[in-house]
C-alpha cells in the first residue's frame, strides 16, 4: 500500500501564534494546540502542523524539514533563506499597515541620519539586516545582537537601535525618535523549492494560499445591501465608484430596487452618510468569512 | 499650512471600557489601548481618544477639554453638566434593559417607601441625585458618599442605599429589597455646546452617532431568509406582521420565492416555529454588522 | 390569578458550561451566571435555569426536579436514567466528532483485547458502563471508581482504564494505547417523561430543541454566493452536487447570474478551487446564525 | 549489584497539594511538581512521590501500590481501607480545628435531628460514611453520590446534605443549618501493613513522621526571649505556668537574666501584656522551623 | 446569661487589605476572608472584623458603628473625623517612608509654587485637604474631585493635581514635577471615643496595638549573634554603638564570648563589614516575629 | 559640590529576575520594579539598578556601561567577556545543584558520544560554547542558533541539541538522552575591570558580595538548639561531627546544658533522629537570614 501524501506546514510560535491559528480556522483549517503534545491537531489528514518561532521557519523550509510555512518577510531576509514565496498577507485588521524595522535613537540624540552612525554601537534582533543596511549606506558601525527589551537600551547602553514597530506608539512611549526605515515586513506563505515542484504539494499549498487569502480579504471587507428608488439608482452608482459592480435586484415594492455589493470595511464609515444623502434606505452591513475573486 | 482639524473624544475608562471599544470597532473605528501610553491609538487621524472615568466625562465635555464623549445619563445628571445630547444607546444585548438607580433596604427593614427615610442615613455613589430625589419627596435624610461595596453597608452601617442595578440579582443575593427607582440610565453620546456649533465637528460627531447607532441596532437584529411556495406567501405575510417590508425574489424552482427581511433578534425564537407552520423552508438567520434606516 | 407556567431547565456545570451557554445564546436564550447567586439569569420569564454537573442531570430530570436538561448520552447510560430523549447535538465544531469512552492501556501492555482483562483492575469514572461492557464480553475484572487524572493511573496503579477522548491526543501524550471503544457520546436534550406529556411544556421544549438545533447546524454551515456566466451555470450545477438547490438570481450585467446556497463549512476548502475552475467569480462566504429546514 | 531501596509515597493532589508540599519542604523534603511529568522531583533519592487525589490514596496504600501516604481520616473511613496509621497532623494554622463532616439542611427546614431523615433523600460525597451513620441511628433514607457543589442542592434537589466544613461559614453563606456532626477528620500519615513490617521502610517512614510532626508543631509555636531583673524572676515564673521549663542565662548587666522558652503561638497575644506587667523587658518572639521533644 | 463582650474592628478593604491581614496575622490574629460572606473569620471570639474602604473607616468609627479601625492619617483628616488615635504604624518595609500627598504639575508647567495656583483648577481625591491647604496659603483655586487616574489628568484636563506618592517614581514616569507636600500619612489605629472609655474595650484595643506594634517593629529589626575573643570585646562594643545593650555569654572555647543583640535590619549591611573588621566570627542574622520593649 | 559616587549594577531580567530580587532583599537591598519605569527603585542611594537579560549582562559590564552585575558563568563564557569575577553563588535551594549545558539526542538516536556528531546539525542557544566544545573534540558539525523550544527540535529538525538543565526532568519528559556535559554554570557577581580598580566601587562591590553570600549561605543553613544532660554531652559531640564548634551554655536545671549550632539544612533530616537517640531533648530548628564566617 502506498503512503498517503503529507504536507508539513510550519506556523509561527509565540506572539503571532494565536492570530495565525485564528486565520487558519477562517480559511477552513481547524487547529488545536495541546500543552501535552508538540504536534498540534488539525482536521485535515493531509497536513502536519509544526509550531516554530517565526525567526526560524524560513531556515527549516529552506532545508526541507518543512514543505511550507508562514513567517515574516523580515526573517526570510535576515536568514537569507532561499525559498519560494507563494503569497503575501496582511494580518492586522486594526492598523492595516505592515510592520517595519526602523532605526531609532533617543529624542534628544544628535543622530539625525544614518550617516551619523559612523563609529557608533547599534543593538538589534536583526543583525544581518542592519549590517546590510549600513554597508549599503557605506557607514561603519558596531552591530550587537539584542535578546529583547531593545527599546530600553537606546537610552544608555547603545547609541541607536533597529527595532520593529507598527504604529510607532511604543517607540514614542520610550521617548525614541525614528531616523529611518530599513524594511517593511508582512507575513508570507513560503514553500521549499523542491516541494513546490511536486504537483500534489504545490496544488495543496496553492489551495491553502487561496483560502487564506480569501479569509484575510474577508476580514477587511463587508457586504453592504440597501434599497433605493429606481429613479435614484443611476445617480447613486455614478457618484459612488466605491460601489463597484453591484448586484441589482428588483423589489416587490414598485419602483424600488435592492443594491448589494462587497466593499472595504474601512470606507463604510465615510460611505454610509453619502448613501443616505443619495436616497438609500434600509442599509445593512453584514460580515463575510471569505472573499475570492 | 493650516492645521488638520481634530475631534477630541472621551470614552469611559473602567468597567464599560472594553464594551465601548468593541462597539466603536463595530461602528468602524478601531482603537488600541496600550499600557505604555495614555493616548490610545485610533485608525482615524481626525480623532483623538481619551479614556476617562464615566463619572467625569460629562464634566470635561462641559468644560471643553473634550469635544464629545460617551457616558451614562446618570452621571450627566449627577454632575448637572450642561452639554448637548446627541444620541442614546443601549449597550447590553443580553438584558435589553437600561440600568437603573434604586433605593434599597435590607429585606426585613421596616422602610417601605421613601417617606420612611425621614431622619435616616443613606449611602450612595450618586449623592446629588439622591438629595434631589429626597427634596422632591420632601423627605429630610442624611446622604453620605460611598466609595463602593455599597450593598454590604445597608446591613449595618446605614439605613438604606441608592445603588445601580440591571437585573436586580446582585441586590437579591445581598438580601436587599428595592423600595423605589430614582432614575433609568442609558449610555449617551454628548457634545460640548461650542463644538456642536462648529460645522466640521458637528458633522463628524453626527456621522459617528449614525454609525454607532447602526452598529448597536445591528446587535439586536438579524437577517432572516427563507423559501416559500408562491401560493403560501400572502398568508405568511398577512399573519406575521413582524416580517415588515420583506424583499421577495423568485427562485429557479417554479412556484417558489425567497423572502428576506431584517428583524429583532429576540423575536426569532417565537417566529421560527410560526414560519415553519406557515410552510416556510430552508430558513436561515444571519448576523449583521450595521443597520441604518 | 393563575400562576405563569415555568420550565425548569438543567445545563451542565463545569467544563461544558461555557460552551452550552454560548450555544443557548445562539439559539436565542441569553443566560448570565453570577458568582453571587446559584440561579442564573435568563431573558425568558418562562424558563428557570439550573447549573448541575453533567454527571447528575439525568438523575434530576428523571426524578422531576428538572423538566428537561442537556447532558451527555454517556451519563444518561451510566445512571440508567429513564428519561425522554428530545434531540441529539454535536457541540465541537473543530473536530466534528462525538466523544467516546475507550478502554486504554500503556503502549507496551500485553493487553490486546477485552478478553485479556480477566482478573485485572480497571479504573474509570463510568463504573456502571464498564461493568456492563465486561458482562457483555463475559470477562470478570475489578472496576474501581476514579476521581480524575485517570490516564496517569494506567501506568502503575491499575491494569487498564476506561476514559473519554475526542481526538485521542491526550491518550497518546500519556503513552496509552486504545484497545476498544465502549460508547460514543453526544450531548442530548432530555425531558422528564411527565413534563413531556404536559402540552405547554412539551411545546416549549420542542421549540428550544428546534432553535438549538438550528444554531448548532448553523455553526457547521456557511452561506456561499458567487457570480457566473449564464452559459457556465448548467455545467457548474451538474458537476458540483454539493450546491444543492441554490437560489439563482439574474444580475444587472447581461448574461451573468448570482448563485447562492448554504453548504457544510468543511467542504468549502475543497469546493472553492473547483468553483473557480468552473468559472465562478466574486465568490463570497458568509456566516450563519441559524439554519432550519 | 543490589537495588537501592525505594519508598513510594502518595501525596494528595488538588486542593491540599500546595499545603502538603509546603509542609514537606518544612520537614526537609523539597518537592518540585512539573507540568511535563507525572512524577514530581524530590531531593531524596530514596523517595518516589506520587500525587493522587486524597479520596483514593488509602485504597492504593492498602493495595501496596504505595508504601505510605498522607490523606484525610475521612477518606480512610469512607473507603474502609485497612492500613497502618503512623501519625496525625493538623495542617490549618489559621483555625486550629479539624475539618468535620456535618449533616446540614436549609435554615427553614423542618428537619431538626437525624430521626427526621426517615424516608428522605441525602446528597453527599461520602456515601459510605453517611449510610453507616444512618444505620447506627436506625434511620432509613436514600443516599446519593454528589459530584460537588453539594451545598446548592440542599435547597431544591434533596432534603439534606452531608458536607465537609471547617468554620461553618460556607454553610451559613448558603443559608444552611448544621443538624449533626458525623466525623471529625485530620490529615494522617498511613502505611501499607506489609511495608510497615519492612525494617528499612518503617524506619524511613518513622523519620519522615518525626520531621513532619516537628515542622507542623513548629508552625504553632514560637521562641520567646526576654530580659528580667533577677529579683522579679521567681514571681514571673510562678505566676506564668505557660513559661514551662525556660532556659535562664545571666546577662552582663548585673542583676539581670535572660529567659528563653518555646510556647504556643496563639497564647502569645495574651502572654505579652502579662510579661510586661511582671517586669519583663526587651521581649522578642522568633519563628521556628521544627520543634522535636 | 450576660452577653460576651465584642469589639468591632474595621480593616481597610482594597489595596491595603492583604498587607493589613498579613500584619494582623503577625500580631497573632488570623483572619480569613471568604468571597461568600461579608464577615471575615477571625480566630478570636471577642473580635468582629469588618472590611471597609480606608476612605470611610474613620467616619464609621466616629459614628460608633465600629469600635476601632486601621486607616490612614490622610483620610482621618480628609473626613475631619473626631476619633481617638491609639497608635501609629509604618507598613512599608521596603521604603521605610510614610506616604505623602503632594501638589504636582507637568514637568514643563510654569507653576513653581502654591502661589501660582491662583485661579487654576486642581484635581484630587482629597478635596477637603486640598481646600484647606489653599486657604492656609490664601490662594483661590477650583478643586474638583477625581475618581482616579489623576496623574494622567495633569497633562491636559487640569492645571495641577494633589496625589499620593511613596517614592515619587510613578509621578516621574508620568513626567510630573512635585511642587509641594501637603501631608505625610501613616496607618493609624483609631478608636471611637466612647468605646475608648469602656474599660474592657480599651484594654482589648491597647493589647492589639501593643502586639501590632511589636509585629511591625519586628519587620524592621533582626537578631544578630556573633562570637568574638574576650580581648576584642570592649573595642567592639565601644566602636559600635549600634550594638546597644547586647547579651554576652561565655563559650566553651576559652577566651571567647558570644554577643547577641537586636538591631535595625537596614543597618546590618553597613555593620557586618565593620564587625568582621573588629574580629567578630560566625556572625548570624535571624528573623524576628515580634519585638516588645 | 562634588557628585555622590554611584555604582551601576546589572541584574538579570526575565526568568531569574524574581529570584535575584528576593536574594538581594535578603542581603539587605530592597528593590522595587515598576511597570512604568525602566529604572527600578532601590533603598540605597549609592546604587543604580538596571535589569538586563542574563545573556547580555557580561557584555555591558565589559564595556563599562555597568560597574558590576550578576549573570551566569555560561553567558560570560559564551560572550567571551573580559570581566573580574568577584564571587560565585548557588541560587537554587531545592536542588542544590548548578545548572549544566548538556548535549542531548532523542532516546533512540544512534549518537552515543560527541564523535558521532561528525557532519551533523546541532541547535542551541549557546553557539560559541558549542563550537568550542566541538573544536576541542575535533568534530566538525553545523551549529545553528535556536530561539527557544530547543528540546522539541531534537526530534525532527536537527540531530542533536545543546540545552540547559538542572534535574534533567524536562529532557526526560521530551524523551531525550544526555550524551555529554559541556559546562556547569552558577550565578556570578562580576565587575568591570576598571571599576574594580576604583577604591570606593571595589569596597562597595565587596560588601555586596559579602552580604549576598551571607544571605545565600543562610538559605542552606539553619540554627539548631537542644538540651542534653551534661553526662551525655561528650558522647553526643564525639559521635556527631556535624555539630562543629557548638555554643554550650548551662541551664537552670542542674546537670543539663543547652547546645546550639549552625548546620546545613539538608542534613537535619538525618541528624534529628540521631540526636534523639543520643539523649537530646527539646530540639528546635530556627531559620537564619544571614551567615557570615
Amino acid at each position: 500500500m502506498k503512503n498517503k501524501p503529507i504536507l508539513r506546514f510550519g506556523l509561527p510560535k509565540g506572539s503571532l501564534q494565536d492570530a495565525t491559528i485564528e486565520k487558519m480556522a477562517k480559511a477552513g483549517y481547524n487547529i488545536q494546540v495541546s500543552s501535552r503534545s508538540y504536534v498540534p491537531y488539525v482536521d485535515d489528514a493531509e497536513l502536519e502542523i509544526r509550531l516554530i518561532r517565526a525567526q526560524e521557519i524560513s531556515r527549516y523550509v529552506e532545508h526541507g524539514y518543512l514543505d511550507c510555512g508562514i513567517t515574516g518577510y523580515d526573517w526570510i531576509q535576515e536568514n537569507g533563506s532561499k525559498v519560494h514565496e507563494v503569497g503575501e498577507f496582511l494580518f492586522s485588521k486594526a492598523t492595516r499597515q505592515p510592520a517595519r524595522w526602523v532605526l531609532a535613537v533617543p529624542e534628544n540624540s544628535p543622530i539625525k541620519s544614518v550617516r551619523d552612525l559612523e563609529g557608533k554601537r547599534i543593538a538589534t534582533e536583526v543583525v544581518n539586516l542592519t549590517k546590510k543596511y549600513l554597508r549599503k549606506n557605506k557607514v561603519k558601525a558596531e552591530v550587537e545582537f539584542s535578546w529583547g527589551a531593545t527599546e530600553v537600551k537606546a537610552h544608555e547602553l547603545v547609541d541607536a537601535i533597529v527595532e520593529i514597530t507598527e504604529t510607532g506608539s511604543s517607540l514614542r512611549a520610550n521617548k525614541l525618535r525614528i531616523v529611518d526605515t530599513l524594511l517593511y515586513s508582512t507575513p508570507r506563505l513560503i514553500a521549499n523549492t523542491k516541494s513546490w515542484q511536486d504537483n500534489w504539494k504545490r496544488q495543496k499549498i496553492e489551495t491553502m494560499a487561496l483560502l487564506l487569502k480569501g479569509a484575510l480579504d474577508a476580514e477587511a471587507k463587508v457586504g453592504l445591501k440597501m434599497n433605493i428608488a429606481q429613479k435614484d439608482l443611476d445617480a447613486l452608482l455614478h457618484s459612488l465608484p466605491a460601489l463597484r459592480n453591484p448586484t441589482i435586484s428588483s423589489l416587490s415594492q414598485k419602483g424600488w430596487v435592492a443594491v448589494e455589493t462587497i466593499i472595504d470595511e474601512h470606507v463604510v464609515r465615510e460611505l454610509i452618510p453619502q448613501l443616505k444623502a443619495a436616497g438609500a434606505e434600509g442599509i445593512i452591513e453584514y460580515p463575510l468569512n471569505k472573499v475570492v475573486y
Side-chain angles (χ1 to χ4, degrees), chain A residues 104-119:
Chain A
V105 296
E107 283 171 5
N108 54 7
S109 161
I111 295 170
K112 303 291 179 201
S113 86
V114 58
R115 305 268 151 207
D116 303 327
L117 290 178
E118 188 72 36

Side-chain angles (χ1 to χ4, degrees), chain A residues 93-293:
Chain A
K93 190 193 162 189
T95 57
R96 291 188 303 276
Q97 299 170 15
R100 55 188 177 130
W101 288 89
V102 298
L103 174 68
V105 296
E107 283 171 5
N108 54 7
S109 161
I111 295 170
K112 303 291 179 201
S113 86
V114 58
R115 305 268 151 207
D116 303 327
L117 290 178
E118 188 72 36
K120 304 294 188 194
R121 286 162 60 88
I122 307 165
T124 185
E125 268 188 285
V126 286
V127 170
N128 293 332
L129 287 181
T130 305
K131 286 182 171 167
K132 196 170 156 191
Y133 166 77
L134 292 172
R135 272 197 307 277
K136 208 184 61 189
N137 285 283
K138 300 196 176 99
V139 170
K140 279 204 168 53
E142 200 174 333
V143 181
E144 67 184 32
F145 177 62
S146 169
W147 292 80
T150 312
E151 285 151 345
V152 165
K153 290 171 191 161
H155 286 289
E156 48 184 21
L157 301 181
V158 294
D159 302 295
I161 63 171
V162 170
E163 182 56 323
I164 195 163
T165 185
E166 213 175 305
T167 64
S169 71
S170 176
L171 293 173
R172 273 191 302 277
N174 277 289
K175 305 193 213 172
L176 299 178
R177 172 166 44 84
I178 294 179
V179 175
D180 198 1
T181 295
L182 282 73
L183 185 91
Y184 287 90
S185 180
T186 47
R188 309 284 165 109
L189 173 57
I190 54 173
N192 174 270
T193 49
K194 215 167 140 191
S195 302
W196 190 246
Q197 280 149 23
D198 174 298
N199 267 349
W200 181 85
K201 290 189 175 176
R202 182 178 182 154
Q203 195 172 353
K204 181 95 194 166
I205 295 169
E206 283 180 331
T207 296
M208 287 176 51
L210 177 73
L211 294 167
L212 202 48
K213 185 156 172 31
L216 289 165
D217 282 352
E219 288 196 340
K221 294 190 181 296
V222 291
L224 208 62
K225 220 185 275 196
M226 71 209 74
N227 297 338
I228 192 162
Q230 179 77 48
K231 65 179 173 61
D232 296 329
L233 181 61
D234 279 356
L236 178 83
L237 299 180
H238 192 261
S239 63
L240 292 171
L243 296 179
R244 59 173 175 189
N245 197 22
T247 308
I248 316 287
S249 39
S250 47
L251 289 176
S252 54
Q253 195 181 350
K254 259 295 162 67
W256 283 75
V257 292
V259 179
E260 182 163 8
T261 194
I262 304 302
I263 59 166
D264 283 351
E265 192 264 348
H266 77 275
V267 305
V268 170
R269 65 193 194 203
E270 286 151 32
L271 197 58
I272 283 184
Q274 300 173 17
L275 292 175
K276 282 202 70 172
E281 290 185 6
I283 306 167
I284 67 166
E285 179 197 316
Y286 58 91
L288 304 173
N289 284 347
K290 291 198 189 74
V291 174
V292 179
Y293 297 107

